[in-house]
Amino acid sequence: MIRLQSITLHEIRLPLVEPFETSRSHQEERRILLLEVRDSDGVSCWSECVASEAPNYLPETIDTAWLALGEWIIPCVLGRSFDHPREVLPHLNATIRGHNMAKAAAEMAAWALAAEKTGRSLAKYIGGERKAVATGIAVGIQADTGALVEKVGQCLEEGYQKIKLKIKPGADVEPVRAVSDAFDLNGRLMVDANTAYDDQPIEALRRLDRFGLMMIEQPLGWDDLRRHAELQARLDTPICLDESITTPERARDMIALGSGRIINIKPGRVGGFAASIAIHDLCWKHSIPVWCGGMLESGIGRAYNVALAALPGFTLPGDLSPSCRYWTQDIVQPEWTMSSDGTVHVPLEQPGLGVEVDADRIDNLTVRRETFGQ
Ligand code: MG
């Protein structure tokens, strides 16, 4: 049984090793919302809300998540008993619509607490068995193709098993061609458009078909399924949906409509682990590969993603880069690392998250804090 006795919200500012650019944003440091959750049995754990500073991925932001947690989500779960963490999301959804990333932060903490209380790792608790998960990397839009090729070369040398290029109209065919020509990637190259082709002619994307990409991620509108279905019917390259899949029901609609052939599961986007596992199980039944995307998480969010990616349906490499790729110093010990074969070790035998959270460092980085409950 889980009974949340107190939740403390912390906002930290974690400096990035280098700026991260997509078609929609440019970031030099990451504002991160962390939850420190204590159970009535005295067990505690940390979780992370993956919402960004601006509403440029989905409508939520770190500030809306703070509000939603404090006003509605925490009062809804605090002091209430749950027999199993899978009960948390339906309970939240009964009275609160949307705010999936804020809900996920509380919901996922309940899974970690339950795992910790049974003495099992989070990965094992949810049914994961993999000892290591394959890792790819997202490469932001670079100033020129020379810089891009050099960066991709470094990533391949480090062992990454999948290269994802962020693209936007006017910066797509040339970078993809440059990378394809420079390396023998053999189906390990994909692109992510982050919805940037919403107003573009279909030919803009059909020109990418010749490169035999693993997938084109979310080319059209963030809440669209119908036009993705039309596009998929005319593209050879599989479409992978990210932003559009916000619930298991949306995943079911994607399959029914043919809007895509792959799903990027980010637990924050869908309201946490119960929904992620439901989407995983649905896709498994329909032979749809899934992989775990990244949201520039700290090592805390990464622990949840690594546990999730240990489930059997996660057959494609996730965006699970090691801590040093993004942070000068992470907030967990040991930091997440990647082997030379491009895999991240899953701490299957350690209870809970499998990493120690550096509470002192979090204290030093905290710019805002609020405690609910006792
Ligand atoms: Mg994406």
Side-chain angles (χ1 to χ4, degrees):
M1 193 188 75
I2 310 143
R3 189 180 166 91
L4 305 180
Q5 184 169 308
S6 76
I7 299 180
T8 300
L9 306 181
H10 301 251
E11 181 186 333
I12 63 165
R13 307 273 167 107
L14 203 54
L16 286 155
V17 170
E18 60 180 53
F20 192 82
E21 194 188 344
T22 72
S23 62
R24 306 265 161 192
S25 71
H26 174 93
Q27 290 174 268
E28 294 195 356
E29 68 173 8
R30 177 78 157 105
R31 290 176 61 196
I32 299 178
L33 170 51
L34 299 173
L35 275 62
E36 186 182 7
V37 179
R38 201 170 299 280
D39 181 87
S40 57
D41 291 338
V43 181
S44 64
C45 77
W46 290 81
S47 66
E48 176 167 348
C49 176
V50 298
S52 313
E53 189 166 345
N56 49 25
Y57 168 72
L58 287 178
E60 287 185 272
T61 70
I62 182 169
D63 296 305
T64 68
W66 189 290
L67 175 80
L69 279 157
E71 291 289 322
W72 310 299
I73 294 168
I74 292 175
C76 189
V77 295
L78 208 60
R80 187 183 174 88
S81 298
F82 297 97
D83 287 331
H84 192 278
R86 74 168 75 89
E87 297 168 8
V88 175
L89 185 63
H91 178 66
L92 289 169
N93 284 346
T95 51
I96 306 163
R97 295 200 176 153
H99 300 283
N100 280 0
M101 296 182 198
K103 285 174 180 167
E107 196 255 15
M108 288 157 75
W111 286 86
L113 279 175
E116 185 94 37
K117 289 173 84 165
T118 60
R120 280 187 285 169
S121 62
L122 182 58
K124 271 195 175 167
Y125 184 77
I126 63 170
E129 290 174 351
R130 278 205 190 92
K131 294 191 174 80
V133 290
T135 301
I137 189 166
V139 180
I141 293 166
Q142 304 292 308
D144 57 71
T145 50
L148 176 67
V149 167
E150 193 183 327
K151 191 161 274 285
V152 170
Q154 287 165 8
C155 296
L156 291 170
E157 254 173 48
E158 287 167 37
Y160 285 104
Q161 294 194 23
K162 183 186 78 183
I163 302 291
K164 160 162 141 175
L165 305 183
K166 294 282 186 179
I167 58 165
K168 60 184 177 185
D172 42 29
V173 173
E174 282 318 306
V176 170
R177 179 184 291 127
V179 170
S180 297
D181 287 350
F183 308 103
D184 182 13
L185 283 165
N186 201 18
R188 288 182 295 151
L189 182 63
M190 63 166 288
V191 293
D192 185 0
N194 289 105
T195 76
Y197 290 76
D198 215 14
D199 56 356
Q200 297 292 306
I202 193 168
E203 284 66 33
L205 290 161
R206 283 175 56 135
R207 284 185 295 156
L208 292 171
D209 260 347
R210 77 185 85 146
F211 298 105
L213 299 171
M214 292 173 88
M215 66 191 100
I216 295 177
E217 188 176 342
Q218 195 74 35
L220 306 182
W222 61 273
D223 58 351
D224 176 76
L225 288 176
R226 187 186 62 80
R227 287 177 304 111
H228 275 111
E230 290 171 2
L231 177 63
Q232 181 66 89
R234 296 179 62 192
L235 276 185
D236 294 333
T237 311
I239 290 175
C240 168
L241 291 183
D242 173 354
E243 286 90 335
S244 291
I245 306 300
T246 47
T247 59
E249 292 71 30
R250 297 279 289 175
R252 199 167 289 124
D253 290 347
M254 181 201 90
I255 294 168
L257 291 167
S259 317
R261 299 180 191 149
I262 298 173
I263 293 181
N264 169 353
I265 299 181
K266 295 175 179 172
R269 191 191 66 226
V270 300
F273 265 25
S276 297
I277 293 166
I279 293 171
H280 163 274
D281 294 351
L282 176 75
C283 289
W284 181 256
K285 203 170 108 191
H286 289 269
S287 302
I288 294 199
V290 301
W291 55 282
C292 184
M295 290 287 291
L296 274 185
E297 292 93 347
S298 75
I300 294 174
R302 183 66 85 234
Y304 286 89
N305 288 355
V306 167
L308 186 66
L311 290 175
F314 284 81
T315 53
L316 297 173
D319 282 345
L320 303 164
S321 295
S323 304
C324 66
R325 158 77 180 159
Y326 296 117
W327 316 116
T328 50
Q329 186 191 338
D330 207 338
I331 52 175
V332 298
Q333 287 294 334
E335 294 202 351
W336 292 99
T337 56
M338 183 179 75
S339 315
S340 55
D341 67 350
T343 61
V344 171
H345 168 70
V346 182
L348 278 182
E349 303 309 327
Q350 288 148 273
L353 298 184
V355 284
E356 289 295 325
V357 173
D358 188 342
D360 289 341
R361 178 157 165 74
I362 290 173
D363 255 356
N364 291 334
L365 293 168
T366 295
V367 294
R368 175 162 61 143
R369 181 189 284 115
E370 190 172 0
T371 296
F372 301 83
Q374 303 161 354

